[in-house]
Amino acid sequence: DALRQRHEELSEAVRQLREGRIHLMLDVPLRDWPGLVRAPGVRTFGQAGLRVVFLGFNTLRPESPLRDARVRRAIALAIDRRAILDGPLKYGGEPIAELVPPDVFGHHGSLSELPFDPGASRQLLAQARPGPPLSLGLEYEPGRYPGIDEVASMIAANLKAVGLEVRPTSLASQSLRNRLDAPQGADLFLLGWLHSAGDAVGSFQYLVHSPAGGSTGALSGYSNPEVDRLLEEAAGPMSLSGRMATLRQVAEIVRREVAVVPLYRQRDRYAFAEDLHFTPRRDRRIRAFEIHWHAGARRSPPD
């Protein structure tokens, strides 16, 4: 079992870190984090990262009920994101209301999270889909992100509470992204997007631009001509202020139409030997020439 093997590998890495046999670890398992914070000879550092984990909708099939924005909104309202952050994602995530985190150009900053409102969710579903309850598949890659298996289970339970039957399916041997390039992919999917370029244009083009050229928008099939037009403008020559205003418009449309459901911003967790000088980067890259051993006074990573 690939997931069990992964858990065993991570547990072994934590043990060797405590023993001083390895010296640096990224994405420490959530269950081990409190113990490592107190472990002698180990320093820990956590920061809100550039990866946003979201729930996506596969609208590539013409008959998909997820083409209806009311159904997408109902699903978003049914998910208790705060319970996810307080439960399986404790130490590992922070709330976010949009796809683009604050450290990335194009972050809107004035959008509020969709509330957890099961009652409103049921009403929307009754308006949009009178008749038998929907049965949907939810796909994700187990162990890909810390706590993702438990997150998938919680989402399935939340949606069941409003009358949606959801079948979580783990993809251990296939690329989820390749699977979703075809209409037979999952109805719902969990993915994380790392905004390592520091600019929202490329992220929006891949995630919410209409499918074109076999890549952009291919994850979901979401399509809106106004979003496409705005993204094409933002990718061309314009002032920074104009570009920011254009990207804010995109974020507002994506939020209004619930093209995706941002779930949380991943918190990057590092543990390393106390006499190792290491300053974590925002893009999660670990470069050997930026790490060195030092003696004497301890130097801490930035706040």
Side-chain angles (χ1 to χ4, degrees):
D1 181 86
L3 182 57
R4 183 173 63 250
Q5 181 180 352
R6 175 63 174 160
H7 285 165
E8 291 172 355
E9 290 172 351
L10 289 172
S11 295
E12 176 64 16
V14 169
R15 185 179 68 81
Q16 292 192 31
L17 180 69
R18 286 175 174 272
E19 295 174 354
R21 297 170 60 192
I22 66 173
H23 308 112
L24 172 62
M25 188 174 183
L26 170 59
D27 288 343
V28 173
L30 298 174
R31 64 183 180 277
D32 296 305
W33 182 252
L36 283 176
V37 168
R38 299 185 296 271
V42 175
R43 297 171 63 195
T44 55
F45 177 72
Q47 66 181 0
L50 299 181
R51 175 176 285 146
V52 174
V53 177
F54 65 91
L55 179 71
F57 304 100
N58 182 358
T59 61
L60 290 165
R61 288 189 297 273
E63 72 282 5
S64 171
L66 300 175
R67 285 177 168 264
D68 190 330
R70 293 173 297 176
V71 175
R72 300 195 299 269
R73 179 172 293 273
I75 289 172
L77 293 172
I79 298 173
D80 191 345
R81 286 173 286 281
R82 295 291 172 165
I84 289 173
L85 288 170
D86 291 340
L89 261 294
K90 190 173 183 181
Y91 313 116
E94 297 190 0
I96 194 166
E98 56 185 290
L99 267 177
V100 181
D103 309 279
V104 174
F105 184 85
H107 173 72
H108 190 288
S110 298
L111 299 175
S112 59
E113 289 183 73
L114 284 170
F116 172 52
D117 192 339
S121 174
R122 294 187 192 93
Q123 291 178 5
L124 275 174
L125 287 172
Q127 295 169 12
R129 302 289 299 180
L134 289 176
S135 179
L136 304 170
L138 168 62
E139 290 184 334
Y140 68 99
E141 294 181 72
R144 178 70 179 271
Y145 316 112
I148 196 66
D149 306 272
E150 293 83 359
V151 170
S153 296
M154 286 191 71
I155 289 174
N158 285 162
L159 297 182
K160 184 175 182 179
V162 298
L164 295 173
E165 291 297 326
V166 175
R167 307 175 305 280
T169 304
S170 62
L171 297 178
S173 60
Q174 286 181 286
S175 165
L176 180 59
R177 294 184 182 187
N178 290 341
R179 175 75 178 273
L180 290 167
D181 281 344
Q184 66 268 24
D187 300 296
L188 305 171
F189 56 93
L190 284 172
L191 271 184
W193 186 263
L194 182 63
H195 298 263
S196 56
D199 190 303
V201 173
S203 301
F204 279 140
Q205 285 179 331
Y206 196 88
L207 297 173
V208 297
H209 191 287
S210 297
S215 58
T216 54
L219 285 184
S220 68
Y222 172 79
S223 180
N224 182 310
E226 179 66 5
V227 168
D228 296 347
R229 182 188 67 79
L230 290 168
L231 287 176
E232 286 155 15
E233 285 184 7
M238 62 168 29
S239 67
L240 283 179
S241 59
R243 199 157 171 263
M244 177 61 82
T246 301
L247 291 174
R248 285 173 62 91
Q249 291 181 64
V250 172
E252 290 164 5
I253 296 171
V254 167
R255 163 61 183 273
R256 184 172 64 248
E257 297 194 346
V258 198
V260 300
V261 182
L263 296 173
Y264 56 90
R265 181 185 186 185
Q266 185 173 308
R267 187 167 180 80
D268 297 333
R269 298 170 318 286
Y270 297 83
F272 47 98
E274 64 179 355
D275 49 356
L276 189 72
H277 175 65
F278 170 66
T279 301
R281 295 168 55 97
R282 304 296 297 175
D283 60 9
R284 293 170 53 89
R285 292 191 177 100
I286 298 175
R287 297 178 172 176
F289 69 86
E290 296 177 339
I291 305 171
H292 64 266
W293 298 100
H294 67 90
R298 182 182 299 177
R299 295 177 64 186
S300 300
D303 292 334

